[in-house]
Amino acid sequence: MSRESDNPTGRGGEVRPTGATDAARAAMSAASQTQFLEVLTRDEAERRFQTALRLEPVGAEAVSLYAARGRVLAETVRASVDVPGFDRANVDGFAVRSADVSTAAEETPVRLRLNDELLSPGVRPTVEVLPGTATTIATGGMFPRGADAVVMVEQTDVVIPPGARER
């Protein structure tokens, strides 16, 4: 590499390979990122994309679980046992009846009465979610009877009526 003082172009600060190998020239070219300056039309980009695709089946082979990482299954795999054997929440929030919240929006919220139960993993529900009610549920918590959806806690506001005590 040359320094400014021995740069024959006289352009200050330029660094360029002198007597560089092909690998060094390639590295310098990649560092300048000129490959990103070529603008393609949508049609040309799609043509290149389609050319690079391999859409024909590649066949199936049996491999160990360790070797399967990064591969795609050739057929559906079904577990012989449903684990867990109950519906559970995939997010923290409130177990609700979807019919109760189907019209809810930020501009038109739906108010539900909160049941006096907190469902965390390992807790069996004892209070049914009836129309107009909701039950606090943690990720992994068992769905209570009557609930068929969970509203994420981030999409809710808990309103405590005046005179009521906070739980």
Side-chain angles (χ1 to χ4, degrees):
M1 299 296 230
S2 64
R3 293 188 307 269
E4 182 178 16
S5 61
D6 58 14
N7 185 339
T9 67
R11 287 182 275 181
E14 182 177 334
V15 177
R16 60 188 172 97
T18 56
T21 65
D22 287 341
R25 277 192 289 279
M28 288 297 288
S29 175
S32 68
Q33 299 188 16
T34 57
Q35 71 272 24
F36 298 118
L37 300 178
E38 180 185 356
V39 178
L40 303 176
T41 65
R42 187 197 71 79
D43 291 339
E44 176 60 15
E46 185 176 355
R47 186 194 66 73
R48 290 184 185 186
F49 177 74
Q50 295 294 337
T51 301
L53 285 180
R54 247 181 90 195
L55 296 176
E56 68 279 352
V58 293
E61 63 181 328
V63 297
S64 70
L65 185 59
Y66 179 78
R69 182 178 177 165
R71 293 178 173 233
V72 177
L73 288 173
E75 58 189 57
T76 301
V77 175
R78 298 208 187 277
S80 59
V81 178
D82 187 15
V83 177
F86 55 87
D87 292 331
R88 62 187 178 92
N90 290 327
V91 295
D92 292 338
F94 299 92
V96 298
R97 295 167 29 96
S98 58
D100 287 344
V101 296
S102 63
T103 61
E106 193 164 340
E107 304 80 30
T108 56
V110 172
R111 288 183 178 245
L112 302 173
R113 185 178 49 79
L114 196 56
N115 292 326
D116 196 22
E117 184 169 50
L118 177 100
L119 300 175
S120 55
V123 173
R124 182 177 298 269
T126 59
V127 178
E128 182 176 357
V129 174
L130 298 171
T133 67
T135 299
T136 306
I137 192 166
T139 302
M142 182 186 294
F143 262 50
R145 186 175 312 280
D148 62 359
V150 173
V151 177
M152 292 173 57
V153 69
E154 295 89 348
Q155 297 174 338
T156 65
D157 290 312
V158 175
V159 178
I160 300 170
R165 63 181 180 86
E166 191 171 338
R167 291 190 260 161

